[in-house]
Amino acid sequence: MQFTPNENDLISDQEWSIETINKVLDLGADIKKIPQKYYTALDRKSICLYFFNPSLRTRNSFEVGINQMGGHGVFVDSKTSWLGQDSESVKDTAAVLSRYFDLIAIRMFPNAVDWVPEKSNELLREFAKWSRVPVINMEDDMFHPCQALADAFTIKERTGKFKGTKITITWAYHPKPLPMAVPNSALLIATRLGMDVTFARPDENFDLPDLIMETAKDNAKKSGGKLTIATDMKGGCDGADFVYLKSWGAKKFYGDAQAEKKLRMKYRGEDGTAWQLTPDKMAAAKPTGKFMHCLPVRRNVEVADAVIDDEQRSIVYDEAENRLHVQKAIMKVLAEKGIKKQGK
Ligand code: CP
């Protein structure tokens, strides 16, 4: 895949202009402050919420957001559709659904496409090609743009700015290899917005896909931000305003958990805390530094209770809440576009 500007859908926010990203962040702030102003923003709009995988935050924040803006959300479980059973083409599914709905949001993790690299992202792009209405990525195997935009919103809410703000995006040990969508999107948006980014992972096996690493470097150069690579979690957290924790799989063993196990176990450490965010590692951040995680998280595996429950440090519930406000802004902006030129 490659990044080509596309503001008709939200497949990745790297494909949106900085102006549109800022418009959504500002609109999200106004929606959060004065929600009643937007009670009819989706009046008589129908939004398809098409899920191939489970969700707590994404499904519920979309459904509540649609309801609060006067629209109607329809939850579709892929198991109850023909596409989910390999019995209908992407083209026919997209063309038909986009005759009913004003927006179509899709979640499709790598396990829904047998961990074939970039396959679910390809499917979403094909879906968007045949859909007459905007398509929103609710997390595929490459990107989680709604999460990234909500996280950027949460940071701006605290600091009022991105430039000069220091964020550490760090890998954590988890017993299973997890998808890369969240770290990919987090790294891209942080570098794009000009933040001072440290990317911490145990070794180069845990680098993100080449396209993401190269684009992040390019983003930092263009935005006047910074991208530093660290191989030590505590050192990587040094002086951070925000520590953004996430686990992901080693790309060399993508989709093969058994083959990856030996490598992953090396970074568990004898007591399981080598790459766990413990209070001593978090202490390397600024005294005002905040802990971020998209959730769900494995407590006392990825992060110690003492960090996630530290009310001075942890802003994970703010991040989860802000999904609601930012997605309302995303839906409003995309719904106003109406029917796209492409599609059937
Ligand atoms: N962060 C996130 O997308 O959570 P869910 O998987 O619960 O939707």
Side-chain angles (χ1 to χ4, degrees), residues 79-311:
K79 291 187 202 73
T80 65
S81 75
W82 299 116
L83 176 61
Q85 310 309 313
D86 291 332
S87 302
E88 187 157 28
S89 69
V90 173
K91 177 182 175 183
D92 295 345
T93 309
V96 170
L97 285 179
S98 65
R99 298 281 176 114
Y100 306 145
F101 291 101
D102 298 284
L103 294 172
I104 299 173
I106 306 172
R107 164 166 285 196
M108 194 188 282
F109 287 171
N111 62 334
V113 289
D114 298 327
W115 289 82
V116 176
E118 299 183 22
K119 182 71 181 169
S120 72
N121 183 258
E122 261 173 44
L123 279 174
L124 250 75
R125 288 180 192 280
E126 195 191 344
F127 205 105
K129 180 177 143 194
W130 298 116
S131 169
R132 305 207 299 187
V133 301
V135 169
I136 300 173
N137 181 354
M138 295 194 292
E139 192 175 349
D140 63 15
D141 56 2
M142 285 294 284
F143 306 109
H144 197 352
C146 298
Q147 182 70 52
L149 288 164
D151 292 337
F153 180 96
T154 307
I155 289 168
K156 196 171 179 197
E157 199 170 41
R158 296 267 164 185
T159 61
K161 66 180 174 69
F162 295 113
K163 293 246 161 81
T165 298
K166 189 165 164 39
I167 185 168
T168 300
I169 298 170
T170 178
W171 185 83
Y173 171 79
H174 184 288
K176 285 192 300 189
L178 299 180
M180 297 177 186
V182 169
N184 284 350
S185 290
L187 188 65
L188 290 178
I189 202 159
T191 49
R192 189 112 184 273
L193 292 169
M195 296 177 75
D196 178 352
V197 184
T198 298
F199 178 71
R201 81 297 186 252
D203 65 40
E204 64 281 0
N205 287 302
F206 291 94
D207 276 345
L208 298 170
D210 292 347
L211 172 73
I212 305 298
M213 299 304 295
E214 291 309 314
T215 306
K217 275 184 218 160
D218 191 48
N219 280 348
K221 207 185 293 175
K222 287 182 180 147
S223 67
K226 215 169 141 189
L227 177 58
T228 308
I229 309 290
T231 51
D232 162 45
M233 191 187 234
K234 188 169 183 177
C237 291
D238 187 35
D241 294 296
F242 297 93
V243 175
Y244 194 101
L245 189 77
K246 185 74 185 81
S247 191
W248 61 88
K251 60 182 177 178
K252 187 160 101 181
F253 299 110
Y254 189 82
D256 189 346
Q258 209 46 43
E260 196 216 37
K261 200 169 176 183
K262 205 167 146 198
L263 177 65
R264 174 167 295 271
M265 286 305 283
K266 192 169 135 194
Y267 298 116
R268 181 183 174 276
E270 274 184 20
D271 66 354
T273 64
W275 279 81
Q276 178 188 115
L277 189 62
T278 46
D280 70 300
K281 297 188 192 87
M282 191 66 206
K286 282 186 184 154
T288 52
K290 304 297 179 203
F291 166 66
M292 299 180 75
H293 194 288
C294 64
L295 304 180
V297 70
R298 286 219 191 182
R299 282 170 169 262
N300 301 312
V301 176
E302 292 170 75
V303 59
D305 278 349
V307 174
I308 192 171
D309 292 331
D310 180 343
E311 291 189 2

